[in-house]
Amino acid sequence: MQPENATPDRPARDTRPHRRLISADRVQGAPVFDREGHKVGHVEDVMLDKLSGHVAYAIMSHGGFLGAAEHYYPIPWTMLHYDIDKAGYVVPLDKAQLESGPALDKVQIDDDSDWTQAVHTHYGMPAPFI
């Protein structure tokens, strides 16, 4: 029998608090909660700076049904905080703030030249380190 959060193609997430490192493929699919504790989406992907190796953004998926009409919201990685009890990430935002943020489609995600500054301006975060 597989653990509750396992799927045939993905092992269960290790939610033990003593583990500080996690692989990117295990971050994908992790739930994202607003500051009130309501689930607002999940991590679709992470964007890494190729030269520094730093995580720059989480691409949060929100809305849609079975992948159709989903919206993708890039969120500066420094805004996400891992909550051991929730086994997911918490952002200091509410649903309205997230939905009013820059939204991307699958094609736009890979073209970071057009959306990085808009993301940082929207969330009031410092310019990206990249």
Side-chain angles (χ1 to χ4, degrees):
M1 182 171 178
Q2 291 184 347
E4 184 178 321
N5 62 352
T7 63
D9 62 330
R10 180 178 292 191
R13 283 194 186 83
D14 184 353
T15 58
R16 294 176 287 184
H18 67 279
R19 303 274 177 144
R20 291 188 51 99
L21 300 178
I22 188 169
S23 65
D25 70 329
R26 292 177 74 128
V27 173
Q28 292 173 322
V32 178
F33 301 90
D34 66 15
R35 61 179 163 216
E36 302 298 323
H38 301 110
K39 184 178 176 190
V40 292
H42 68 271
V43 177
E44 178 72 18
D45 212 342
V46 293
M47 302 298 288
L48 308 173
D49 176 80
K50 290 189 282 187
L51 299 178
S52 72
H54 293 122
V55 177
Y57 302 95
I59 304 296
M60 189 190 80
S61 177
H62 170 73
F65 180 71
L66 300 175
E70 279 188 303
H71 298 284
Y72 302 99
Y73 298 90
I75 300 173
W77 183 253
T78 55
M79 293 186 75
L80 283 82
H81 302 281
Y82 191 76
D83 185 306
I84 293 169
D85 295 330
K86 289 181 173 44
Y89 294 90
V90 177
V91 291
L93 305 165
D94 59 34
K95 186 176 178 179
Q97 289 172 304
L98 288 167
E99 289 179 344
S100 68
L104 309 173
D105 62 30
K106 282 281 196 183
V107 174
Q108 293 170 309
I109 290 171
D110 291 328
D111 185 12
D112 61 1
S113 61
D114 292 335
W115 56 260
T116 55
Q117 190 57 49
V119 169
H120 287 273
T121 300
H122 177 77
Y123 293 115
M125 300 292 292
F129 56 83
I130 52 179

